[in-house]
Structures are given as C-alpha cells and as structure tokens.
Amino acid sequence: MKPYHLSVLVNNHAGLLAKVAGLFSRRHFNIDSLAVGVAETPGQSRMTIVVNGDEQMVEQVVRQLDKLIDVLEIEVLPDQQSVQRELLLIKMSASPETRSEILQVAEIFRAHIVDVSHDSLTLEVTGQADKIAAFLNLLQPLGIRQVIRTGTVAIRRS
Amino acid sequence: MVRALELEGVTTVFGYPGAAICPFYDALLDSPIHHVLTRNEQGAAHAASGYARAGHTTGVCIATSGPGATNLITGIATAYMDSIPMVAITGQVASDLIGSDSFQEADITGATSPFTKHNYLINSADELPRVFREAFYLAASGRPGPVLIDVPVDIQSEMLEFIRPESVELPGYQPKLKPEPEQMLDLRKLLAESQRPVVCAGGGVISAGASEPLQQLIDKWQIPVITTMMGIGSVPADHPRYLGTMGSHGVFAANFALHHADCLILLGARVGNRAMGSATAIARRAKVVHIDIDPAELGKNIRPHLAINADLRQVIAELLTEKPAADWQDWLTETDRLRTQQRTRWPCAVMSDHTISPPHLLERLGSKAPADTILTTEVGQNQIWAANHYPIRQAGTFISSGGMGTMGYGLPAALGAQCACPERQVISISGDGSLQMSLQELGTIRQQRLPVRIILLNNSRLGMVHEIQSLKYNQRYSQVFLEENPDFSLLAAAYGFQYEQISQNGQIDSALDHLLTAEGPFFLECVVDPHEPTLYPIAKEETP
C-alpha cells in the first residue's frame, strides 16, 4: 500500500464530482485526498486524486474512472517525475510563552503568518506531504485550534 | 423529445405518465411511436430490457418525476448489470423548483449514477438534440448499458428548431475495438501450447453479435465451449462442442472443463462470483486470456495472463483466419464423454405421480417449441431449471436477469420481447414468488393483446431461499412459505388468459401442445414438489 497521485482531466459538469466520489466509495477504493480546480481549457477541470493502494487497485481505479463519460484523461503521476504540493492553513493558540516558538517553527518551514490576534496566530505553509506532516508534528504540542488543508495537487515534470 | 426518438428509429416505448412528463405525452399523441402503458414503472424498464434483448435494439422507457423515476431504478440497475442498451427518460419538476423538495421531486440523476452508463439532467431545451443523439449512441455502443435523461417539465414545453446532430463528440468515450496484433500473436501462442483449452462465452458474445462467428470458430477449431448464464444461446445447446453453463448452479461437464483447462479464453464474461467463485484457483492452473470491450473488466475479478481490450467480433474474425497447430484430441474425447453422460442423466430428484418435474417439463418444452422461441425467466429455482434444462438454440432467446438477479423481471421482459417479436413464441418461466412481484403486468399483456405464455412452476414457496435454508441453515425455514397463494385459475381468467393446471408428468406433453398452439395468452400452472432441488447431488461413480 502506498499513495498514488492521479491527475484527472474532466468536463466541468455539475454532478461530476459526486459521480467520482460515489465511484470511490462504492468500489471500496481508499481516497486520501481530492483537489479540483479549473484547468487551462475553459469548461474543463483537473483533479488531483491521491489513492492509497497497490498497483492492481490503482489500475482498477484508473479503468473505472475512465468509464465516466466526462473523464477525458487520466495520468498516474510517477513520484520522482512529478511535483506535489499541498497548502495548509493552521490556526494556533498563541500565548506569550508559545508565540516565539511557533514563529521559529514557521520560519524554519518557510510558513507565512497570514493572521494575528491577541491569542492566536494563523500560518500558511505549502509543501509535499512529508513536510506538512513534519510541520504539524512540531506544532502539535503548541496548541492547534484548527487545521485546513487543500489536499495534494500534483503536476508532471517536463 | 418525441422527434428525437423518431429520428433514432424508435417505434415502441414503455412507460407510465405523470404530471412532470405530460408535455412529452401530449406530443406523443401526434407520433407514430407505439406506447405500451405498463402497470408500474419498474415493469416499463424491464419490458424495455426484454424488448431490447429480443429485438437486438435499444429499449426505451419513460416515467414521471419522483416516485415514477425511482420505480425505474430496479429496472435500470438490472439492465446495467446485464449490459442491456436502454434509454430511460424521466420528467423532472420545473427548473426553478429543483432543489426545493417540491412535490414529486427526486434527484434521479444522483440516484441512478451507480447504475447508468451515463446520465443527463437537462438545463435547456437547446441541449436536447445533442443529448438524445449521445444517449442512444452511448447506450448501444462499446459495452452497452442504460442511459438516463432527466428533463424538467418546463423545458419539455420550450420551442426549438430540432436538428439531429450528424455525429457525436465525446472525447471522453472512445471504445477500443481493434485488438493489438502482438496480443493476437500471444493468444495464438498460448493456444498452440495448450493441451486442454476451453472457450468461455459470456453475455458479451451476445451483445457484440458475435454468436455466429463464435460458432464458426468452434466448428473450425474443434475447441470445447462453456457459457456463463448470460452467455446461454451464444452457442446452440445441441452443439457437439458445447458443455453447458458453468458456475455454482451450472452443470458438471462445464465446471469440470473450467477447472481442468490449461488455457481458458474468456469472451465477454466478467467473471462474476456466481459463475467463477474460484477465479484465483482457476487462474493458478490455467493460462487465462480475458477478452472484453470494457477495459475495467480486465483484471477486476481475475488476473489474466493475457488481457485483450477489443470488440469480440474483431477478435474472433482475426482468429478465424488460421487454426493453431495443436493437438487437443485427448481433451476432446474426455469432454465429449462428460457431455454425453450429462445428456443421458435423468435430472430429477423427486419422482412423484402428483407433481411435475421442472427439468422434465423444460426438456419437453425444448423439444416441442420452435428454435426461435424466446424464453424469459424470473429469478430463483425457475431460472436455474430453465438455464440448465431448456435447450436454447439461438442468441438472444434466453432473457433472464443474470447479474442483478431481479425477481419480477421475467413477466414484463416477456411482454417487451413479445412487442419486439410479435410472430414468435414468447414463454415466461416463473415461480409463484417472482410471478407475484410483477403480477400487475398481466394487465399490460391483456391491454396490448399479447399472446404471452406463462409457465408457473408453483411450489407454494420461495423455492430458492427454501433450498438455501435447507442446505445451509439446518432446515430452519424462515419466511419462505406462500401457502395462501391466490387461485391462479381465477387470476388467469380475470386477465383473459386461457388456463390449465397440471400435476402429473404424463400431462406435460398435451398441456404444452395447448400452450404452444393457443391463439391468445396462455397460463400453465404446474404443481411442483416443494423439495425438488436445483442442485442435484452427484453420485460418487459419476465423478471421473
């Protein structure tokens, strides 16, 4: 079992996201994340789907997705020859004691401070799954209030 | 919408009106299209399926919004599992009411997306010419299946200049038809190396129209062939190389061949658990070649040694060019012996002088009915008896719910088949449980004056579940008794059927003569012993 990154080009139809999500649940495919946004061609979107499984399962995922009429292209992105990024927004409780440590961690991970209040700090960070995981791990003891992640988006290297 | 149907060549549709589909039904009055009013929308979907299968065309069913549409779902799902080309048209509440939980509103595109090849919710009348064109193309091409079009009632009343698009543009849908030449070479190599090859024909052979080429191939190559239940009819039952249906309810010779083959060629068979429960074990023993038009079937339930994504007709045409140089004589002798033994075994566990043996009845029916007779079945023991004992001789004449196993399918499917083939014998084999699931469709048969023949195998219970409870649940019978069945003679009379009841095997021949020669619809009730099984124990000495 390992994560596979699928880049899926689709027609921008209402209901398609439900069809894709429904397909994953009814066929018992494990979906780690799904990110979707408009693509370069008007009327089309590109999804990055991260699936956890083995090669055989991913092959089935690809073939089943391909049966959807509004799915135009599917590519399983090779780990080494693709760039993967996820964006994370995290709101931390920030007391006088923890504030500086949070800022230190943020600096190391090149996170941006996007919002500040008397008792909180909101940070933004992008990176690959392992960087996000390490970042979260370091912040864990410092008082996380809320986490929001986009899910991974990925693109093949030229 | 009516114009679109006419331009797609539709002549008969099955449906049930309601408020949200009224503009369509109003326009239908001015069309030559024949509309069959069923008694439940599920019946319309099953009838459209029977019509499609018997007529080798796309079936069309129509329902209103909300419950009308949801009643179609079982029929749509049944067609989806068996890859039957179908277009379902549903009315929807007015565009500005969608999402407001208005009267008779249901999200039918959402609800049917697991059971349709594709579906559409129409946003504007301008889409209709394109969508209807696409829907009929999608339903019948590639791996066939049902397509649903949901049309809000206000859009049905809009005006537009209807121009049928010349072609369809579906970049996300490109069925692969031609096999790769290297794969065909690999296939030939595997066959040449094999000593015990078996061809397994599934429903795909019938939907691809590849039944005749397959028979040519079998004749030319002299290779044993077995079928799944959906593949019944792809090879005539009396073909000397045909060993019967495989699977948990299949016959011994076919299962023996399946398990002893060293090369298994799957043609349009999706390796369902009922047909090939031991797929992994089989793949360990045999080189499996899986050929299907749907690439998602390849590798889904079995890991083939060679997977060929192509149209079966093209694959078979390519194979017909040359016979592989291999000697299969020993294997043919062995399978021939099994086949002959099977034909001579009397498949009846309960011999009684006051009940009918269904296997015997079906064999007698097979010897009397013309080869082009269309047989529909329900689901349960009746289906297994029919599949194993009635000799189907032509593709598309065995109409049964294979994948979904839908009780209540056979009767409406029979009326649909009769609409497609008014001159042919259409016989609905049923049990007392499943017949009563679509019983109301007797009214449709009466209204349409269809000469459908019903053979009811009445054992006053849900025989298949009874058999399962007998074998696996220590004969603790739970909710399987239908002893307060209606008087079927009165029911037959109420719906204008000629009726006969038999309870002795000696009465079978004359009753079948009456059934086959009757002018109008005929209802033959057969009293069946409740302990008559579908699974016959095989005596030790019969096992080779």
Side-chain angles (χ1 to χ4, degrees), chain B residues 118 128 134 201 208 230 270 342 374 436 457 511:
Chain B
H118 194 48
L128 288 170
E134 285 179 4
M230 286 301 296
R270 61 185 177 82
Q342 186 164 283
I374 294 163
Q436 293 185 76
L457 304 171

Side-chain angles (χ1 to χ4, degrees), chain B residues 154-205:
Chain B
D154 54 317
I155 292 176
Q156 293 172 39
S157 306
E158 274 180 43
M159 297 304 288
L160 81 153
E161 192 190 350
F162 191 97
I163 301 164
R164 181 177 186 260
E166 295 260 317
S167 59
V168 289
E169 276 178 54
L170 291 164
Y173 177 74
Q174 311 279 347
K176 186 169 166 296
L177 302 176
K178 242 184 116 45
E180 303 294 333
E182 316 84 70
Q183 291 194 314
M184 293 306 291
L185 286 176
D186 290 346
L187 171 53
R188 286 183 175 281
K189 189 158 168 285
L190 283 175
L191 277 164
E193 287 165 359
S194 75
Q195 265 139 32
R196 299 185 306 280
V198 169
V199 166
C200 167
V205 173

Side-chain angles (χ1 to χ4, degrees), chain A residues 33-51:
Chain A
S33 71
L34 191 157
V36 57
V38 290
E40 61 281 0
T41 311
Q44 295 179 357
S45 288
R46 188 169 270 109
M47 297 178 176
T48 304
I49 305 175
V50 183
V51 192

Side-chain angles (χ1 to χ4, degrees), chain B residues 30 61 87 95 110 125 161 187 203 213 233 268 315 386 389 405 416 437 441 463 485:
Chain B
D30 302 322
C61 56
V87 172
S95 307
E161 192 190 350
L187 171 53
V315 172
H389 301 291
M437 257 199 205
E441 299 309 335
N485 265 333

Side-chain angles (χ1 to χ4, degrees), chain B residues 347-524:
Chain B
C348 183
V350 181
M351 281 308 283
S352 139
D353 53 10
H354 51 84
T355 54
I356 297 292
S357 154
H360 182 51
L361 173 103
L362 285 153
E363 285 181 356
R364 292 305 301 150
L365 180 64
S367 68
K368 286 174 177 291
D372 67 354
T373 298
I374 294 163
L375 206 71
T376 74
T377 81
E378 298 289 349
V379 167
Q381 290 180 311
N382 68 84
Q383 182 185 37
I384 308 303
W385 285 322
N388 288 341
H389 301 291
Y390 179 89
I392 289 284
R393 284 152 287 178
Q394 288 182 11
T397 63
F398 182 72
I399 297 181
S400 189
S401 165
M404 199 69 180
T406 306
M407 289 173 71
Y409 174 76
L411 186 65
L415 84 85
Q418 189 80 75
C419 289
C421 307
E423 304 303 321
R424 282 157 69 179
Q425 295 275 359
V426 177
I427 303 173
S428 167
I429 305 292
S430 57
D432 47 311
S434 41
L435 179 68
Q436 293 185 76
M437 257 199 205
S438 288
L439 196 60
Q440 69 281 359
E441 299 309 335
L442 292 174
T444 312
I445 292 170
R446 176 175 165 84
Q447 187 179 8
Q448 298 291 322
R449 301 183 185 282
L450 298 168
V452 168
R453 285 83 165 87
I454 296 170
I455 296 182
L456 169 64
L457 304 171
N458 186 358
N459 55 11
S460 301
R461 66 205 59 210
L462 304 176
M464 183 61 100
V465 184
H466 183 265
E467 191 172 343
I468 293 168
Q469 290 176 351
S470 167
L471 293 171
K472 291 192 181 162
Y473 295 89
N474 296 322
Q475 290 155 36
R476 280 163 52 85
Y477 298 114
S478 181
Q479 299 301 315
V480 291
F481 300 111
L482 298 170
E483 277 143 351
E484 295 302 316
N485 265 333
D487 182 332
F488 288 106
S489 70
L490 295 176
L491 200 63
Y495 285 102
F497 281 66
Q498 285 182 66
Y499 170 87
E500 201 169 321
Q501 190 202 52
I502 54 173
S503 56
Q504 290 174 358
N505 288 322
Q507 299 171 302
I508 287 176
D509 276 18
S510 71
L512 291 179
D513 290 341
H514 300 155
L515 174 125
L516 290 169
T517 54
E519 283 286 322
F522 195 97
F523 193 120
L524 175 63

Side-chain angles (χ1 to χ4, degrees), chain B residues 232-397:
Chain B
I232 290 177
S234 54
V235 186
D238 53 3
H239 192 286
R241 293 276 84 83
Y242 178 54
L243 303 175
T245 47
M246 63 204 254
S248 57
H249 288 81
V251 299
F252 179 75
N255 281 322
F256 177 90
L258 177 67
H259 285 269
H260 289 78
D262 66 353
C263 180
L264 175 66
I265 318 268
L266 294 163
L267 297 176
R270 61 185 177 82
V271 195
N273 59 328
R274 213 184 190 194
M276 254 173 102
S278 44
T280 322
I282 290 164
R284 266 200 299 272
R285 279 190 294 270
K287 295 271 195 313
V288 176
V289 182
H290 198 174
I291 307 170
D292 206 293
I293 194 148
D294 179 0
E297 288 306 332
L298 306 173
K300 188 180 80 181
N301 295 339
I302 194 167
R303 295 303 291 174
H305 295 75
L306 177 60
I308 301 179
N309 175 214
D311 176 32
L312 292 177
R313 281 179 69 99
Q314 300 212 10
V315 172
I316 294 172
E318 156 66 28
L319 286 176
L320 271 168
T321 54
E322 198 188 340
K323 182 180 186 293
D327 180 18
W328 301 328
Q329 197 48 55
D330 289 352
W331 177 234
L332 285 181
T333 314
E334 191 173 6
T335 50
D336 270 352
R337 186 175 56 80
L338 290 170
R339 182 176 182 277
T340 320
Q341 275 178 6
Q342 186 164 283
R343 300 299 311 167
T344 52
R345 197 183 330 139
W346 178 243
C348 183
V350 181
M351 281 308 283
S352 139
D353 53 10
H354 51 84
T355 54
I356 297 292
S357 154
H360 182 51
L361 173 103
L362 285 153
E363 285 181 356
R364 292 305 301 150
L365 180 64
S367 68
K368 286 174 177 291
D372 67 354
T373 298
I374 294 163
L375 206 71
T376 74
T377 81
E378 298 289 349
V379 167
Q381 290 180 311
N382 68 84
Q383 182 185 37
I384 308 303
W385 285 322
N388 288 341
H389 301 291
Y390 179 89
I392 289 284
R393 284 152 287 178
Q394 288 182 11
T397 63

